[in-house]
Amino acid sequence: MSPSPKLPEAAGSADGPLAIICGGGAFPLAVAEAARRAGREVVLFPVRGFAGPEVEAWPHVWIHIGRFGQLTAEMRRRGCRDVVMIGNVLRPRIRDIRLDWATFWLLPSAFRMLRGGDDHLLTSLGRFFEEAGFRLLGAHEVAPEILLPAGRLGRVAPGAEAMADIVLGCRVLDVTGPLDIGQGLVVMNKHVVAMEAAEGTDLMLARVAELRANGRIKMPAPCGVLVKRPKAGQDRRFDLPSLGVRTVEGVARAGLAGIAVEAGGVIAAEAGALIAAADAAGLFVYGVAPGAEVAP
């Protein structure tokens, strides 16, 4: 087989349009709005099957998973050098991937990157863009306002028992993070009752609600904390843990007392709506400063 062709470097300066590769959810448009407020032009590259039609209100080019050559060619043509990847995208099925010629040459590396956890996959994908001459940015670098801050974020404050659960949750995630297992868990009365894996936060919370319903969790509601933080050592340009109003609804249905996050390490597209929903449900939202010891 002939050696793979060298991809040309990206055109444009750091002041050129920002390319946002969009999965599903509200975060791509939140980042686009922040970039526009900062005076940056934006071009969205929504992924078919994941991004919603609302992206079409912006300059955009729809893309298919597997057409890396087409994507990078379009970004160069529009003068993009800086790239953000944000939004929900599930690992594709083989039959959903539509390869172009440039992607064909990357197949050996692509198969290797699929054999591992999410961190391995996303870091490998980021390397493809960097080798093509683009600069990968984290969504929080473009839109720092989507990061949740430290301290009590609503009207409700966590009590002593909740603080003890937060301490344990943070310690457990410190251990499991390097294993690329997940970014969240539920702790009740210093007991880990659920850990997030491939199902994601919403389904983990639904599982906790089911455990309550069938009597496997006997502690009366509200009790317990959803704890979310980035995995130790993860590349924070990709896949920062996120919260939304749906998360608050899931926490309420699970009978938990509140949510704790690593301050500056968890994002929310609509923080005001999230905190209002938590206040209405009588739940706390608390930001733990990185490295801070929370007294039980």
Side-chain angles (χ1 to χ4, degrees):
M1 182 178 289
S2 303
S4 60
K6 186 179 187 303
L7 295 169
E9 292 192 357
S13 70
D15 294 325
L18 175 70
I20 303 178
I21 301 174
C22 307
F27 285 101
L29 296 189
V31 174
E33 291 281 5
R36 185 165 65 179
R37 286 195 298 270
R40 189 82 182 267
E41 291 183 60
V42 172
V43 181
L44 305 188
F45 293 87
V47 181
R48 289 197 180 275
F50 297 98
E54 61 275 8
V55 299
E56 295 186 347
W58 295 75
H60 69 281
V61 179
W62 285 97
I63 59 172
H64 287 279
I65 289 178
R67 294 191 174 175
F68 184 73
Q70 178 190 18
L71 169 60
T72 53
E74 285 287 351
M75 290 196 295
R76 291 187 188 97
R77 187 171 70 84
R78 292 166 183 266
C80 301
R81 179 174 180 265
D82 293 345
V83 183
V84 170
M85 294 192 293
I86 186 73
N88 303 320
V89 176
L90 300 178
R91 289 190 181 221
R93 298 170 297 184
I94 295 297
R95 69 172 182 262
D96 295 331
I97 299 176
R98 303 184 181 185
L99 301 180
D100 59 17
W101 187 245
T103 312
F104 174 79
W105 289 107
L106 297 171
L107 275 180
S109 297
F111 284 132
R112 285 194 296 272
M113 79 182 191
L114 287 169
R115 299 186 63 178
D118 289 345
D119 285 353
H120 172 73
L121 172 62
L122 291 168
T123 300
S124 299
L125 183 59
R127 194 174 302 119
F128 285 170
F129 284 99
E130 290 172 340
E131 290 173 353
F134 295 94
R135 182 171 67 171
L136 270 293
L137 301 177
H140 60 289
E141 297 177 86
V142 176
E145 61 266 35
I146 67 177
L147 291 169
L148 292 172
R152 188 185 75 192
L153 304 184
R155 291 199 303 263
V156 183
E161 289 183 2
M163 284 295 196
D165 286 343
I166 293 169
V167 169
L168 177 59
C170 290
R171 289 174 179 169
V172 172
L173 290 173
D174 281 342
V175 173
T176 60
L179 301 176
D180 202 1
I181 291 175
Q183 299 171 313
L185 50 72
V186 172
V187 184
M188 288 185 188
N189 196 23
K190 294 188 177 181
H191 176 63
V192 177
V193 299
M195 289 204 65
E196 178 185 339
E199 81 276 26
T201 303
D202 291 343
L203 289 179
M204 176 187 69
L205 292 171
R207 179 156 46 94
V208 174
E210 183 179 352
L211 290 171
R212 275 198 185 279
N214 64 26
R216 295 294 299 273
I217 292 176
K218 301 185 183 300
M219 287 169 279
C223 175
V225 183
L226 167 66
V227 183
K228 296 201 75 171
R229 70 187 308 182
K231 301 168 191 170
Q234 85 172 65
D235 188 334
R236 295 199 177 198
R237 294 175 300 174
F238 314 111
D239 194 32
L240 280 179
S242 61
L243 295 180
V245 172
R246 182 185 296 181
T247 314
V248 173
E249 294 168 351
V251 166
R253 284 193 296 269
L256 305 183
I259 302 167
V261 302
E262 178 183 306
V266 175
I267 58 177
E270 300 171 329
L274 181 149
I275 293 167
D279 285 345
L283 304 173
F284 68 79
V285 181
Y286 188 82
V288 183
E293 284 296 327
V294 182

